[in-house]
PDB file of all heavy atoms in Angstrom:
ATOM      1  N   SER A  43     118.516 105.595  80.763  1.00  0.00           N
ATOM      2  CA  SER A  43     117.494 105.154  79.813  1.00  0.00           C
ATOM      3  C   SER A  43     117.576 103.653  79.577  1.00  0.00           C
ATOM      4  O   SER A  43     116.554 102.963  79.482  1.00  0.00           O
ATOM      5  CB  SER A  43     117.642 105.907  78.481  1.00  0.00           C
ATOM      6  OG  SER A  43     117.306 107.276  78.635  1.00  0.00           O
ATOM      7  N   HIS A  44     118.791 103.130  79.488  1.00  0.00           N
ATOM      8  CA  HIS A  44     118.953 101.687  79.283  1.00  0.00           C
ATOM      9  C   HIS A  44     118.402 100.904  80.476  1.00  0.00           C
ATOM     10  O   HIS A  44     117.771  99.853  80.296  1.00  0.00           O
ATOM     11  CB  HIS A  44     120.430 101.349  79.045  1.00  0.00           C
ATOM     12  CG  HIS A  44     120.866 101.546  77.633  1.00  0.00           C
ATOM     13  ND1 HIS A  44     120.929 100.528  76.713  1.00  0.00           N
ATOM     14  CD2 HIS A  44     121.252 102.669  76.974  1.00  0.00           C
ATOM     15  CE1 HIS A  44     121.340 101.005  75.550  1.00  0.00           C
ATOM     16  NE2 HIS A  44     121.546 102.308  75.682  1.00  0.00           N
ATOM     17  N   ILE A  45     118.618 101.412  81.682  1.00  0.00           N
ATOM     18  CA  ILE A  45     118.086 100.750  82.878  1.00  0.00           C
ATOM     19  C   ILE A  45     116.555 100.752  82.854  1.00  0.00           C
ATOM     20  O   ILE A  45     115.910  99.728  83.109  1.00  0.00           O
ATOM     21  CB  ILE A  45     118.613 101.441  84.153  1.00  0.00           C
ATOM     22  CG1 ILE A  45     120.109 101.184  84.311  1.00  0.00           C
ATOM     23  CG2 ILE A  45     117.854 100.958  85.394  1.00  0.00           C
ATOM     24  CD1 ILE A  45     120.765 102.017  85.395  1.00  0.00           C
ATOM     25  N   TYR A  46     115.971 101.907  82.528  1.00  0.00           N
ATOM     26  CA  TYR A  46     114.512 102.016  82.486  1.00  0.00           C
ATOM     27  C   TYR A  46     113.922 101.062  81.444  1.00  0.00           C
ATOM     28  O   TYR A  46     112.916 100.390  81.698  1.00  0.00           O
ATOM     29  CB  TYR A  46     114.085 103.454  82.168  1.00  0.00           C
ATOM     30  CG  TYR A  46     114.483 104.476  83.189  1.00  0.00           C
ATOM     31  CD1 TYR A  46     114.787 105.786  82.817  1.00  0.00           C
ATOM     32  CD2 TYR A  46     114.560 104.153  84.548  1.00  0.00           C
ATOM     33  CE1 TYR A  46     115.160 106.738  83.758  1.00  0.00           C
ATOM     34  CE2 TYR A  46     114.921 105.103  85.492  1.00  0.00           C
ATOM     35  CZ  TYR A  46     115.225 106.384  85.092  1.00  0.00           C
ATOM     36  OH  TYR A  46     115.594 107.325  86.021  1.00  0.00           O
ATOM     37  N   VAL A  47     114.547 101.005  80.280  1.00  0.00           N
ATOM     38  CA  VAL A  47     114.027 100.165  79.207  1.00  0.00           C
ATOM     39  C   VAL A  47     114.119  98.694  79.597  1.00  0.00           C
ATOM     40  O   VAL A  47     113.180  97.918  79.371  1.00  0.00           O
ATOM     41  CB  VAL A  47     114.777 100.445  77.893  1.00  0.00           C
ATOM     42  CG1 VAL A  47     114.466  99.369  76.850  1.00  0.00           C
ATOM     43  CG2 VAL A  47     114.393 101.819  77.355  1.00  0.00           C
ATOM     44  N   ARG A  48     115.239  98.287  80.176  1.00  0.00           N
ATOM     45  CA  ARG A  48     115.371  96.887  80.602  1.00  0.00           C
ATOM     46  C   ARG A  48     114.287  96.521  81.616  1.00  0.00           C
ATOM     47  O   ARG A  48     113.720  95.428  81.572  1.00  0.00           O
ATOM     48  CB  ARG A  48     116.757  96.633  81.191  1.00  0.00           C
ATOM     49  CG  ARG A  48     117.856  96.481  80.150  1.00  0.00           C
ATOM     50  CD  ARG A  48     119.096  95.827  80.739  1.00  0.00           C
ATOM     51  NE  ARG A  48     119.702  96.628  81.783  1.00  0.00           N
ATOM     52  CZ  ARG A  48     120.649  97.558  81.573  1.00  0.00           C
ATOM     53  NH1 ARG A  48     121.055  97.789  80.335  1.00  0.00           N
ATOM     54  NH2 ARG A  48     121.161  98.230  82.577  1.00  0.00           N
ATOM     55  N   SER A  49     113.988  97.448  82.526  1.00  0.00           N
ATOM     56  CA  SER A  49     112.955  97.190  83.527  1.00  0.00           C
ATOM     57  C   SER A  49     111.595  96.997  82.869  1.00  0.00           C
ATOM     58  O   SER A  49     110.820  96.111  83.261  1.00  0.00           O
ATOM     59  CB  SER A  49     112.882  98.352  84.528  1.00  0.00           C
ATOM     60  OG  SER A  49     114.078  98.491  85.250  1.00  0.00           O
ATOM     61  N   LYS A  50     111.294  97.817  81.878  1.00  0.00           N
ATOM     62  CA  LYS A  50     109.999  97.734  81.197  1.00  0.00           C
ATOM     63  C   LYS A  50     109.860  96.422  80.422  1.00  0.00           C
ATOM     64  O   LYS A  50     108.825  95.747  80.500  1.00  0.00           O
ATOM     65  CB  LYS A  50     109.837  98.944  80.266  1.00  0.00           C
ATOM     66  CG  LYS A  50     109.689 100.265  81.003  1.00  0.00           C
ATOM     67  CD  LYS A  50     109.869 101.470  80.091  1.00  0.00           C
ATOM     68  CE  LYS A  50     109.789 102.767  80.885  1.00  0.00           C
ATOM     69  NZ  LYS A  50     110.079 103.965  80.072  1.00  0.00           N
ATOM     70  N   ILE A  51     110.899  96.068  79.678  1.00  0.00           N
ATOM     71  CA  ILE A  51     110.841  94.839  78.883  1.00  0.00           C
ATOM     72  C   ILE A  51     110.830  93.615  79.798  1.00  0.00           C
ATOM     73  O   ILE A  51     110.107  92.636  79.536  1.00  0.00           O
ATOM     74  CB  ILE A  51     112.017  94.781  77.899  1.00  0.00           C
ATOM     75  CG1 ILE A  51     111.899  95.915  76.857  1.00  0.00           C
ATOM     76  CG2 ILE A  51     112.071  93.424  77.211  1.00  0.00           C
ATOM     77  CD1 ILE A  51     110.644  95.864  76.019  1.00  0.00           C
ATOM     78  N   ARG A  52     111.596  93.661  80.872  1.00  0.00           N
ATOM     79  CA  ARG A  52     111.607  92.540  81.822  1.00  0.00           C
ATOM     80  C   ARG A  52     110.214  92.313  82.404  1.00  0.00           C
ATOM     81  O   ARG A  52     109.741  91.173  82.486  1.00  0.00           O
ATOM     82  CB  ARG A  52     112.610  92.819  82.936  1.00  0.00           C
ATOM     83  CG  ARG A  52     112.840  91.630  83.878  1.00  0.00           C
ATOM     84  CD  ARG A  52     113.763  91.997  85.027  1.00  0.00           C
ATOM     85  NE  ARG A  52     115.003  92.588  84.548  1.00  0.00           N
ATOM     86  CZ  ARG A  52     115.425  93.803  84.866  1.00  0.00           C
ATOM     87  NH1 ARG A  52     114.691  94.585  85.658  1.00  0.00           N
ATOM     88  NH2 ARG A  52     116.566  94.258  84.405  1.00  0.00           N
ATOM     89  N   MET A  53     109.535  93.394  82.778  1.00  0.00           N
ATOM     90  CA  MET A  53     108.197  93.259  83.342  1.00  0.00           C
ATOM     91  C   MET A  53     107.210  92.754  82.296  1.00  0.00           C
ATOM     92  O   MET A  53     106.338  91.924  82.595  1.00  0.00           O
ATOM     93  CB  MET A  53     107.728  94.598  83.915  1.00  0.00           C
ATOM     94  CG  MET A  53     106.327  94.545  84.537  1.00  0.00           C
ATOM     95  SD  MET A  53     106.176  93.290  85.839  1.00  0.00           S
ATOM     96  CE  MET A  53     107.201  94.048  87.108  1.00  0.00           C
ATOM     97  N   ALA A  54     107.332  93.246  81.064  1.00  0.00           N
ATOM     98  CA  ALA A  54     106.436  92.794  79.999  1.00  0.00           C
ATOM     99  C   ALA A  54     106.553  91.287  79.816  1.00  0.00           C
ATOM    100  O   ALA A  54     105.542  90.570  79.761  1.00  0.00           O
ATOM    101  CB  ALA A  54     106.762  93.518  78.692  1.00  0.00           C
ATOM    102  N   ARG A  55     107.764  90.795  79.740  1.00  0.00           N
ATOM    103  CA  ARG A  55     107.969  89.361  79.525  1.00  0.00           C
ATOM    104  C   ARG A  55     107.539  88.542  80.740  1.00  0.00           C
ATOM    105  O   ARG A  55     107.004  87.428  80.586  1.00  0.00           O
ATOM    106  CB  ARG A  55     109.432  89.110  79.178  1.00  0.00           C
ATOM    107  CG  ARG A  55     109.813  89.669  77.802  1.00  0.00           C
ATOM    108  CD  ARG A  55     111.291  89.587  77.530  1.00  0.00           C
ATOM    109  NE  ARG A  55     111.604  90.091  76.185  1.00  0.00           N
ATOM    110  CZ  ARG A  55     112.837  90.363  75.758  1.00  0.00           C
ATOM    111  NH1 ARG A  55     113.877  90.173  76.570  1.00  0.00           N
ATOM    112  NH2 ARG A  55     113.036  90.816  74.540  1.00  0.00           N
ATOM    113  N   LYS A  56     107.750  89.082  81.923  1.00  0.00           N
ATOM    114  CA  LYS A  56     107.328  88.388  83.134  1.00  0.00           C
ATOM    115  C   LYS A  56     105.815  88.189  83.157  1.00  0.00           C
ATOM    116  O   LYS A  56     105.307  87.151  83.600  1.00  0.00           O
ATOM    117  CB  LYS A  56     107.776  89.183  84.370  1.00  0.00           C
ATOM    118  CG  LYS A  56     107.418  88.534  85.697  1.00  0.00           C
ATOM    119  CD  LYS A  56     107.920  89.372  86.854  1.00  0.00           C
ATOM    120  CE  LYS A  56     107.510  88.753  88.194  1.00  0.00           C
ATOM    121  NZ  LYS A  56     107.995  89.575  89.339  1.00  0.00           N
ATOM    122  N   LEU A  57     105.080  89.190  82.652  1.00  0.00           N
ATOM    123  CA  LEU A  57     103.622  89.109  82.618  1.00  0.00           C
ATOM    124  C   LEU A  57     103.109  88.187  81.515  1.00  0.00           C
ATOM    125  O   LEU A  57     101.977  87.719  81.576  1.00  0.00           O
ATOM    126  CB  LEU A  57     103.021  90.501  82.387  1.00  0.00           C
ATOM    127  CG  LEU A  57     102.747  91.384  83.597  1.00  0.00           C
ATOM    128  CD1 LEU A  57     102.182  92.713  83.131  1.00  0.00           C
ATOM    129  CD2 LEU A  57     101.790  90.727  84.565  1.00  0.00           C
ATOM    130  N   GLY A  58     103.945  87.966  80.515  1.00  0.00           N
ATOM    131  CA  GLY A  58     103.503  87.160  79.385  1.00  0.00           C
ATOM    132  C   GLY A  58     103.264  87.953  78.124  1.00  0.00           C
ATOM    133  O   GLY A  58     102.744  87.430  77.132  1.00  0.00           O
TER     134      GLY A  58
END
Side-chain angles (χ1 to χ4, degrees):
S43 291
H44 277 263
I45 291 170
Y46 297 148
V47 167
R48 282 197 297 270
S49 297
K50 292 166 183 175
I51 295 300
R52 188 184 307 120
M53 180 56 70
R55 291 172 178 167
K56 181 179 178 180
L57 272 179

